[in-house]
Amino acid sequence: MFSRAGVGWVYEGFFAVDAPEDVDVGVVLVTHHHERHVAGARRAKVVVMNPLEYSMASDLERALRYAEVVLRRAGAAGRPSVSVGPFRGSVYKFTAGWVDLGDVSVRVIPCGSHTWGHTCFGVENAVFVGDLGGWIVSVGAFLRVLASMKGLRGYVAYTGEGERIPLEEYMQRLEGDFKRLLRRYVECLGERTPYRIALCARGGGDVLRLSEEGLAFVKYLAESGYAKIVSSSPYVVRPA
């Protein structure tokens, strides 16, 4: 029923989730604004996506302003690189609820932790989770998604990495991955700024992704009593 296409999935040539540019479908559901996930949507006749993700994918000024603020607060040097562009078709903006695509009804599920408006889509027993297991911009949102989904049975997660895996099993794996990542962030608190802490914890990566996640974990660790924030422009922390 669902076939793999790049980082996304295609439903019998009718619609796709995160279609790459070379997939010819009329309707594309977009989980988030990162370019490899939105490329095919730019050519589609109909696009369904979160309004915040749409603005980050189409508004250069907003995307640059956001990236510049994140890098500055995280203590990262350099000018950010962002990717935006137009959408040729009609864009329908949803934050939650249901979308009817002919004979198929799609559930729009807010999952804003990989990006602020990251969205999962439910079709029958399939849940398309995008990059839910990737970089984190909000630890609190990530934990809420885990809590709401990890007890669901009978559903299958379709991931941005091309996996089909029982949703409950996938959520358990994400929970274990998060605990290991959290330990790394605690160990790296001596690096002081969110960017350098994230670089230490992750071992490398895109400067904007590192900065977003570093800020997310620094705030979470401060709220949890592991760290103390001593400055906020840029953020500077020390172990508690």
Side-chain angles (χ1 to χ4, degrees):
M1 182 183 296
F2 299 103
S3 59
R4 179 70 171 156
V7 297
W9 299 88
V10 177
Y11 178 84
E12 298 179 352
F14 169 44
F15 74 88
V17 179
D18 291 348
E21 189 174 4
D22 58 354
V23 172
D24 184 19
V25 290
V27 180
V28 177
L29 314 175
V30 177
T31 61
H32 62 293
H33 71 271
H34 294 160
E35 187 59 31
R36 65 184 189 138
H37 291 263
V38 81
R42 299 195 187 282
R43 301 172 60 247
K45 293 180 181 178
V46 175
V47 177
V48 175
M49 64 189 302
N50 178 277
L52 176 58
E53 299 302 300
Y54 172 73
S55 68
M56 291 294 287
S58 60
D59 187 333
L60 178 60
E61 182 179 354
R62 179 167 187 172
L64 276 175
R65 185 168 64 248
Y66 167 78
E68 288 168 353
V69 169
V70 169
L71 264 61
R72 183 173 67 251
R73 289 177 176 172
R79 182 174 175 80
S81 175
V82 300
S83 179
V84 302
F87 290 80
R88 297 181 187 177
S90 301
V91 180
Y92 295 91
K93 307 177 189 70
F94 286 82
T95 56
W98 291 85
V99 177
D100 288 326
L101 304 177
D103 294 333
V104 178
S105 292
V106 178
R107 185 178 179 184
V108 181
I109 309 168
C111 293
S113 61
H114 175 63
T115 61
W116 292 105
H118 188 280
T119 303
C120 299
F121 295 99
V123 182
E124 298 174 347
N125 75 325
V127 180
F128 298 93
V129 297
D131 283 352
L132 189 60
W135 300 94
I136 297 172
V137 299
S138 171
V139 174
F142 179 79
L143 294 176
R144 286 191 293 273
V145 171
L146 283 183
S148 65
M149 287 192 177
K150 70 179 183 180
L152 296 178
R153 302 186 181 188
Y155 292 87
V156 178
Y158 287 68
T159 77
E161 292 77 37
E163 290 184 284
R164 295 180 177 91
I165 179 173
L167 183 63
E168 186 179 23
E169 179 181 336
Y170 180 65
M171 291 299 155
Q172 290 172 348
R173 189 174 76 191
L174 292 190
E175 187 174 40
D177 291 344
F178 172 77
K179 290 177 179 178
R180 286 186 288 273
L181 184 60
L182 179 62
R183 287 196 294 269
R184 285 294 297 146
Y185 268 95
V186 173
E187 293 167 357
C188 291
L189 281 172
E191 295 293 326
R192 293 178 57 79
T193 63
Y195 171 72
R196 292 188 61 83
I197 292 169
L199 185 61
C200 168
R202 284 288 194 175
D206 175 82
V207 62
L208 180 55
R209 305 286 88 80
L210 287 165
S211 297
E212 288 177 312
E213 187 172 273
L215 286 166
F217 271 89
V218 159
K219 293 174 182 178
Y220 176 75
L221 291 172
E223 292 168 356
S224 302
Y226 289 96
K228 182 175 178 60
I229 296 174
V230 297
S231 174
S232 60
S233 186
Y235 276 82
V236 177
V237 303
R238 60 175 175 80

